[in-house]
Amino acid sequence: NAGVTQTPKFRVLKTGQSMTLLCAQDMNHEYMYWYRQDPGMGLRLIHYSVGEGTTAKGEVPDGYNVSRLKKQNFLLGLESAAPSQTSVYFCASSYSSAPYEQYFGPGTRLTVT
Amino acid sequence: EDKVVQSPLSLVVHEGDTVTLNCSYEVTNFRSLLWYKQEKKAPTFLFMLTSSGIEKKSGRLSSILDKKELFSILNITATQTGDSAIYLCAAFLLLLNNNDMRFGAGTRLTVKP
């Protein structure tokens, strides 16, 4: 099992460009999450999904969109990147809503110039 | 506004020292307090605390929750260089239509040989 994988690992964007971050899990988990981590801010939930075809907003959803067309994949999109979106993005998945069961991916470091 | 505050923000100790990391929270719909260890990449789960006064222990690590005073501590005894990491605490909120987690900014622990 690969667990939770994220693509790409690093990316540099210019302001206004768009991109999609891919999260994949092979554990048949229902729940998937996207977080961002900034210095001094801890992890903040952007969007999450409780099953295929569903998405919901987290604490900081503005400027991001997500899709969960397949159970194993959760995509995070930035339509028009801004420097404030420079961050490390973590995807996580879990079988249930129990937080201790969340498995995190290795992270994607995104820089927007 | 929900808030989770960790202190200190960073800490440098020598091998063999004992450290105490603090986490205070002011959140609505509190359900549990979680501790994670984050080394180079993804956070890994350490403890989940739901009841006051009951210590959870795993090797040299232990943690306790005080729901009256709204804080938790994480103790590490006989520290080793491998304990060097960022330690995150998070409040798990049980909401009507979803669940959510609020993370603190983390404590960066450095253990010197």
Side-chain angles (χ1 to χ4, degrees):
Chain A
N1 284 352
V4 180
T5 58
Q6 292 183 229
T7 309
K9 291 186 171 55
F10 305 93
R11 185 73 187 268
V12 178
L13 285 180
K14 293 188 177 176
T15 298
Q17 287 185 318
S18 63
M19 79 163 293
T20 300
L21 281 65
L22 171 64
C23 175
Q25 51 93 4
D26 61 2
M27 297 174 281
N28 202 34
H29 284 168
E30 291 293 335
Y31 293 71
M32 296 187 76
Y33 313 82
W34 275 108
Y35 293 90
R36 60 178 288 176
Q37 187 175 32
D38 303 295
M41 298 291 290
L43 283 159
R44 291 182 291 168
L45 183 66
I46 304 171
H47 286 279
Y48 66 98
S49 167
V50 301
E52 183 179 318
T54 74
T55 62
K57 294 180 180 179
E59 185 186 357
V60 288
D62 294 342
Y64 305 94
N65 56 74
V66 287
S67 65
R68 183 100 181 266
L69 298 179
K70 291 183 179 180
K71 186 176 184 178
Q72 63 267 35
N73 295 336
F74 195 29
L75 280 66
L76 178 72
L78 286 74
E79 288 185 351
S80 179
S84 60
Q85 293 177 304
T86 293
S87 188
V88 179
Y89 291 86
F90 286 99
C91 175
S93 73
S94 63
Y95 178 72
S96 75
S97 61
Y100 56 86
E101 292 182 348
Q102 285 190 23
Y103 292 83
F104 284 84
T108 294
R109 184 175 293 277
L110 175 66
T111 302
V112 183
T113 61
Chain B
E1 185 185 335
D2 295 329
K3 192 167 57 172
V4 178
V5 178
Q6 292 187 245
S7 63
L9 291 181
S10 67
L11 190 56
V12 180
V13 300
H14 288 93
E15 272 192 317
D17 288 348
T18 294
V19 297
T20 298
L21 309 183
N22 304 294
C23 175
S24 66
Y25 61 93
E26 288 181 38
V27 300
T28 54
N29 302 297
F30 175 83
R31 177 70 180 95
S32 306
L33 193 289
L34 291 92
W35 285 96
Y36 290 84
K37 178 181 182 182
Q38 185 176 22
E39 296 178 82
K40 290 185 180 173
K41 292 187 176 177
T44 53
F45 171 78
L46 292 174
F47 297 111
M48 184 172 81
L49 302 144
T50 304
S51 302
S52 259
I54 299 175
E55 185 184 55
K56 293 238 174 151
K57 204 169 167 62
S58 175
R60 296 176 293 102
L61 277 66
S62 63
S63 185
I64 198 160
L65 175 67
D66 185 328
K67 289 169 78 172
K68 185 179 175 187
E69 301 296 330
L70 308 183
F71 77 91
S72 173
I73 59 171
L74 176 68
N75 279 320
I76 309 175
T77 59
T79 52
Q80 302 171 356
T81 55
D83 295 327
S84 295
I86 296 173
Y87 290 84
L88 300 168
C89 74
F92 178 54
L93 314 179
L94 193 64
L95 305 175
L96 184 60
N97 295 316
N98 65 348
N99 301 323
D100 202 354
M101 288 221 283
R102 292 284 183 268
F103 281 83
T107 293
R108 182 181 291 275
L109 174 65
T110 303
V111 182
K112 293 189 169 182

